[in-house]
Amino acid sequence: MSIRLRLGLWYGTLAAVLVAVFGAVVFSTVAAYLREDLRRSTERLADHFVESAQGRTDGASAETLMQAFAAPDVTVAVFDSAGRLLAATPPASPGLAPDEGEGTATGAAPARAERLPPFVRGGYRAERAIPAPNVFSVDEPVRAVVLGWFFTRRLMLDRLLRVLVVSGVLASVAGVFIGWGVAGGALRPVSMMVEAARRIARSQDFRHRLPTAGSRDELGQLTSAFNEMLAELEKAFENQRRFVADASHELRAPLATLQGNLELLERAANLSEAERRAVWRDIRDEVRRLGRLVSDLLSLARAEAGQGLHLLPVELDRVVTDVLRSMRNEVAQHRLVVEHLEPVQVMGDADRLRELLVILLDNAIRYTPPGGEIRVGLGHTPGPEVALSVADTGIGIAPEDLPHIFERFYRADKARSRATGGTGLGLAIARWIVEAHGGRIEVESQPGQGSRFTVRLPAARPASPETEAHT
């Protein structure tokens, strides 16, 4: 069952319940008013009958008296002290007779001296003593019983009930159709989302967007969120497609070189030993390049999968010292300057932070000519951060290339050629490592003057004296 149909049925049910409650209140109120009106009318009629009977003195006038009070919804009956019916207005006289077998009591009628017709039940009864019994040709006390019927009023209530039932049915049907229409209009953005999702699934084109009418209700917010999701999916899909294309292109070059060198070794049997060594050296370099490329691709794949880092307190100054010691051979042709190295502790992954510094140093070594200077610094900043900087006096980066250097496989024309042996993924991995630690990476560069990469990471909070005492 669709949501639209369920909403329509809910609207119809709600309308039926509301009309039923309203009808019950109206019906009970009107019925109570009519019963009270019947009581007052019966009491007034009984008093009026007694007053009229007191003014008559001959027995012949009893029939005239009874005819004067004949009414379609009132019965007036007169009984003697033994409970015998002396006079009654039609149509109740056939039903007003003493029960057979019931005894009588002197001066009072039995408790069940009269039987009421079924259609009188639920009405109102008023008894009055008549001090002038001679009107009915008897010398003993008599009493008048006035029965107010509910017949006319029952007809009114029956008509009211029919009106309420018909109104309830019509309100329920109208509620279903109104709910169907309202739900259709309210769920139109959802239907558009379903159609857009199906269209995207068929075409694999994430450029589709839902039209926004400027509404700020929940459905308008849902439409905006859906469009934002489509934009993110489009960007992710484009990044994935470009990543696959770039990775294929990057893998093709070393594989082609390997294939060419192997075919050369297979076909050229008269190569000299020096030429063979050169070919094997090229194969070795390409295999190493392939290994670095695959390792970088694996790191990025883990980053894309949202793989988190296990953060522990790390003394970053020791990490910097270890990396500089391990890379002293690579930096041998350059002048390495440690600007400052303060004791710094951060919450991080030591292996990833070591990889970050290796990437930055390797980047500086590749694009700084021999004899150039590479400067490394680590220290606290005025805020709750620490700053790790790697600067060089290399060829620098053009201003138009700066916004793109952290993209995968991006190489500037001058500063990022494949001749240096890089994979084009180092800075993308460096940015992921920094962001996974809750930091940010900044770059400043001038063509021909060098570049400076600055990594800012949150500083670890120093342990309190109480914590140190417990540990």
Side-chain angles (χ1 to χ4, degrees):
M1 184 182 295
S2 64
I3 295 180
R4 185 177 183 183
L5 180 57
R6 288 202 297 267
L7 288 176
L9 293 178
W10 273 108
Y11 273 106
T13 304
L14 179 61
V17 170
L18 292 178
V19 172
V21 172
F22 175 77
V25 173
V26 171
F27 186 85
S28 60
T29 302
V30 173
Y33 172 79
L34 292 178
R35 288 191 178 92
E36 179 63 21
D37 180 68
L38 176 64
R39 184 192 67 80
R40 290 195 301 265
S41 300
T42 305
E43 295 284 351
R44 287 196 301 267
L45 182 62
D47 293 337
H48 183 52
F49 181 81
V50 171
E51 293 174 0
S52 299
Q54 290 177 357
R56 297 180 183 271
T57 58
D58 54 332
S61 63
E63 182 179 355
T64 304
L65 175 64
M66 301 305 293
Q67 291 178 353
F69 283 89
D73 55 352
V74 175
T75 295
V76 181
V78 180
F79 298 88
D80 60 11
S81 59
R84 291 186 295 269
L85 180 65
L86 301 178
T89 60
S93 54
L96 292 174
D99 289 341
E100 296 181 2
E102 288 188 348
T104 59
T106 304
R112 297 179 59 206
E114 308 87 35
R115 289 201 305 265
L116 298 181
F119 48 82
V120 179
R121 300 181 195 277
Y124 189 80
R125 168 176 169 165
E127 289 191 20
R128 295 290 189 272
I130 301 178
N134 56 347
V135 177
F136 300 96
S137 302
V138 292
D139 295 332
E140 56 186 0
V142 297
R143 60 190 177 88
V145 177
V146 179
L147 299 173
W149 292 10
F150 209 68
F151 181 73
T152 304
R153 293 167 177 82
R154 174 61 64 186
L155 293 178
M156 297 175 59
L157 288 177
D158 291 343
R159 292 173 183 173
L160 176 62
L161 182 61
R162 286 195 295 270
V163 170
L164 291 176
V165 170
V166 173
S167 301
V169 173
L170 294 178
S172 300
V173 174
V176 170
F177 283 101
I178 293 175
W180 175 271
V182 172
L187 295 176
R188 187 172 295 110
V190 179
S191 301
M192 296 171 63
M193 291 180 194
V194 173
E195 182 60 29
R198 290 175 177 172
R199 189 165 55 247
I200 292 172
R202 289 192 301 266
S203 63
Q204 295 293 318
D205 186 1
F206 291 93
R207 292 175 297 178
H208 295 285
R209 297 292 184 274
L210 295 180
T212 55
S215 176
R216 295 186 178 181
D217 57 8
E218 288 79 1
L219 289 175
Q221 296 176 7
L222 179 61
T223 302
S224 301
F226 189 78
N227 286 336
E228 292 175 3
M229 182 190 68
L230 288 178
E232 292 299 324
L233 286 175
E234 180 184 6
K235 182 165 62 176
F237 187 74
E238 289 298 325
N239 289 339
Q240 181 184 18
R241 185 162 52 186
R242 189 176 63 211
F243 178 77
V244 172
D246 292 342
S248 301
H249 182 71
E250 292 294 327
L251 291 171
R252 184 184 305 168
L255 288 176
T257 303
L258 288 174
Q259 182 178 4
N261 287 329
L262 291 174
E263 291 178 354
L264 177 62
L265 290 176
E266 182 181 4
R267 295 177 182 177
N270 55 350
L271 288 177
S272 64
E273 187 64 23
E275 291 174 334
R276 286 182 181 274
R277 289 180 180 177
V279 171
W280 282 114
R281 189 165 47 250
D282 292 340
I283 293 176
R284 181 195 59 192
D285 293 340
E286 293 300 329
V287 169
R288 289 177 178 175
R289 183 183 174 194
L290 277 175
R292 290 194 301 270
L293 182 59
V294 171
S295 177
D296 292 345
L297 288 175
L298 180 60
S299 298
L300 287 178
R302 290 174 178 171
E304 290 291 338
Q307 182 179 7
L309 301 179
H310 188 54
L311 304 183
L312 296 173
V314 177
E315 295 180 358
L316 192 55
D317 54 309
R318 291 190 178 182
V319 173
V320 173
T321 303
D322 293 341
V323 171
L324 292 179
R325 185 183 301 111
S326 64
M327 296 187 66
R328 59 181 179 272
N329 293 331
E330 287 82 352
V331 195
Q333 297 182 355
H334 304 79
R335 190 162 61 94
L336 179 61
V337 177
V338 178
E339 295 179 333
H340 53 277
L341 188 61
E342 301 177 10
V344 167
Q345 189 177 67
V346 298
M347 295 298 296
D349 187 317
D351 294 335
R352 292 300 181 182
L353 291 174
R354 186 177 290 105
E355 182 181 3
L356 168 65
L357 184 56
V358 169
I359 290 173
L360 296 180
L361 286 174
D362 183 71
N363 190 74
I365 294 170
R366 289 178 185 277
Y367 304 108
T368 301
E373 185 177 86
I374 298 176
R375 298 184 299 275
V376 178
L378 175 65
H380 291 87
T381 63
E385 294 179 331
V386 298
L388 170 65
S389 63
V390 176
D392 60 65
T393 58
I395 59 178
I397 307 171
E400 62 271 15
D401 296 321
L402 282 177
H404 307 285
I405 60 173
F406 294 104
E407 297 177 4
R408 303 166 182 169
F409 298 112
Y410 183 82
R411 290 186 177 91
D413 293 339
K414 296 179 180 179
R416 296 294 183 268
S417 66
R418 289 188 180 88
T420 60
T423 63
L425 298 174
L427 291 180
I429 296 174
R431 182 177 63 177
W432 166 67
I433 295 175
V434 173
E435 292 178 351
H437 284 80
R440 64 186 187 278
I441 184 170
E442 303 168 352
V443 58
E444 301 174 2
S445 182
Q446 291 292 332
Q449 299 181 12
S451 306
R452 174 181 287 272
F453 288 85
T454 304
V455 175
R456 301 186 185 276
L457 299 174
R461 295 180 180 180
S464 61
E466 292 81 1
T467 305
E468 292 179 355
H470 284 296
T471 56

